Amino acid sequence: MNNFVYDIPVKVYFGENQLQHLGEELSKFGTRVLLTYGGGSIKKIGLYDKVIAEIERAGLEVFELSGIEPNPRIDSVRRGAQMCKDHNIDVLLAVGGGSTLDATKFMAAGACVDHDPWDFLSEKWAPITKALPIVTILTLSATGSEMDPGGVISNPETQDKIGRLAAPMLPKVSFLDPTLTYSVSPYQTACGSADMISHILEVYFNMEQDLYMLDCFMEGLLKTIIKFTPVAIEKPDDYEARANLMWASSWAINGFVNGGKRLAWSCHPIEHELSAIYDITHGLGLAIVTPRWLEYCLDETTVSKYVQFGVNVFDIDPNQEPMAIAHQAIDRLSEFLFDTLGLSRTLTEIGITAEHFPIMAKKACGGKILPGFKHLTPADVEKIFEMCL
Ligand code: NZQ
Ligand code: ZN
């Protein structure tokens, strides 16, 4: 078992009516706030007015950047980094889903350098050694961006969607109020849960030696998501369901479940090629890819992990042949994603053809190999894409 470092210093205010602490938290970092948000959902749910009121009550000065896209674009990051410089911003306040939070992280880092923020993500891979402080208010349970140091940015010019982790981009404080997710549509709720499930499976399906305790924790998270997503879709203002999903989203990816595992993720690089070219919702792409990836990686050397997953998460009868259990486990996951949550089952259904698969597969592997659960070559990834048609 590998050694590891546990270090997740994000202060979380969880629950209703916590925004009263927003002003005091922002004030710790200065007086000039850049408020960032997406296409306007925060105005529709009345959150924008509350945030402004709290900022004003604390006597802070606010500047605004709106219109951050789902699958956020590098141009939004550039605008935000420039605003930070022009207005001498002390702290960024990101209010929204993962896209707003991710873009804001790179704005905060971009504000501290003279070069183009895309240099952080392009082949130049410019170091991220500093970022302005970030506070977040989460409105969609999915990415875990509220409690991790990562972000993913798209560049339509190069058709790239690239993610990066950097400690300075970790939010200082995150406000997690489940009631803010009541307005999330059934579709986005489903996609968010597919994303969380994938974050866990990327770590769970791994041939490095596992910590039993972390595997149990991941199984608990999976069961939580499987139990509460249909409830939240059926009854969007079910507090217990929304609260469970919100806290699960953070813990699925905040680094805790990794322990000392070092293998790369597989479905995420594959999915990012889909959302880079076709601008689809990240969680939908993952829902389509994940069961096919599991199918592709199943063999005698990996089957024991599928058995553990099937028995512990889906209560499949353990008194069967391992391969039979493994196939049932993949089927149960597919049923959950496509039948219970109602997500599209294939790439064909969402209008994606095989046209760009060769180049997408190559990019997903960084040109050579994707060193995950099963090491995948571009030819393997192309086959997985084909299984998704
Ligand atoms: O833009 P607005 O108007 O806010 O609407 C958004 C958007 O249209 C809407 N929404 C958000 N909160 C809402 C709401 N609608 C009604 N009520 C609310 N309370 O939902 C739509 C999707 O929002 P978005 O932020 O794009 O979704 P999500 O949180 O799923 O973020 C997806 C992005 O995060 C990246 C993905 O690749 C994708 O670009 N990821 C980030 C990760 C990270 N930072 O660690 C990890 C993930 O694996 C993922 O790659
Ligand atoms: Zn994800």
Side-chain angles (χ1 to χ4, degrees), residues 1 22 74 111 189 242 258 313 374 381:
M1 198 172 301
L22 181 62
I74 189 62
T189 301
R242 293 295 193 182
N258 292 13
V313 176
K374 272 249 159 160
V381 174

Side-chain angles (χ1 to χ4, degrees), residues 44 57 59 63 109 149 170 173 182 188 207 244 248 251 254 277 288 303 322 326 341 351:
K44 283 192 203 131
R57 194 164 66 85
F63 301 83
L170 188 71
V173 184
Y182 286 173
Q188 286 293 345
M207 296 314 282
N244 273 282
W251 282 86
N254 69 9
I277 297 194
I288 295 173
V303 67
L341 301 192

Side-chain angles (χ1 to χ4, degrees), residues 322-380:
M323 274 296 169
I325 299 175
H327 284 296
Q328 285 166 42
I330 299 172
D331 288 349
R332 292 289 295 278
L333 179 67
S334 301
E335 276 164 34
F336 177 72
L337 295 167
F338 306 131
D339 301 332
T340 308
L341 301 192
L343 291 169
S344 297
R345 192 177 288 271
T346 63
L347 292 179
T348 310
E349 272 178 52
I350 57 172
I352 294 178
T353 66
E355 187 186 355
H356 301 295
F357 285 175
I359 179 71
M360 287 160 64
K362 209 167 159 195
K363 279 169 115 176
C365 295
K368 291 182 187 151
I369 202 152
L370 196 49
F373 175 45
K374 272 249 159 160
H375 293 1
L376 301 174
T377 63
D380 294 318

Side-chain angles (χ1 to χ4, degrees), residues 142-144 152 161 191-192 194-199 202 253 265 267-268 271-272 282-283 286:
T143 64
V152 192
K161 181 174 180 186
C191 289
D195 191 17
M196 292 178 220
I197 288 173
S198 172
H199 295 161
E202 297 268 29
I253 196 178
W265 287 15
C267 294
H268 273 66
E271 191 296 310
H272 285 164
H282 173 62
L286 289 171

Side-chain angles (χ1 to χ4, degrees), residues 164-187:
R164 181 161 183 185
L165 301 164
M169 301 196 303
L170 188 71
K172 302 281 184 220
V173 184
S174 284
F175 288 83
L176 272 57
D177 176 351
T179 66
L180 298 178
T181 65
Y182 286 173
S183 53
V184 176
S185 66
Y187 169 70

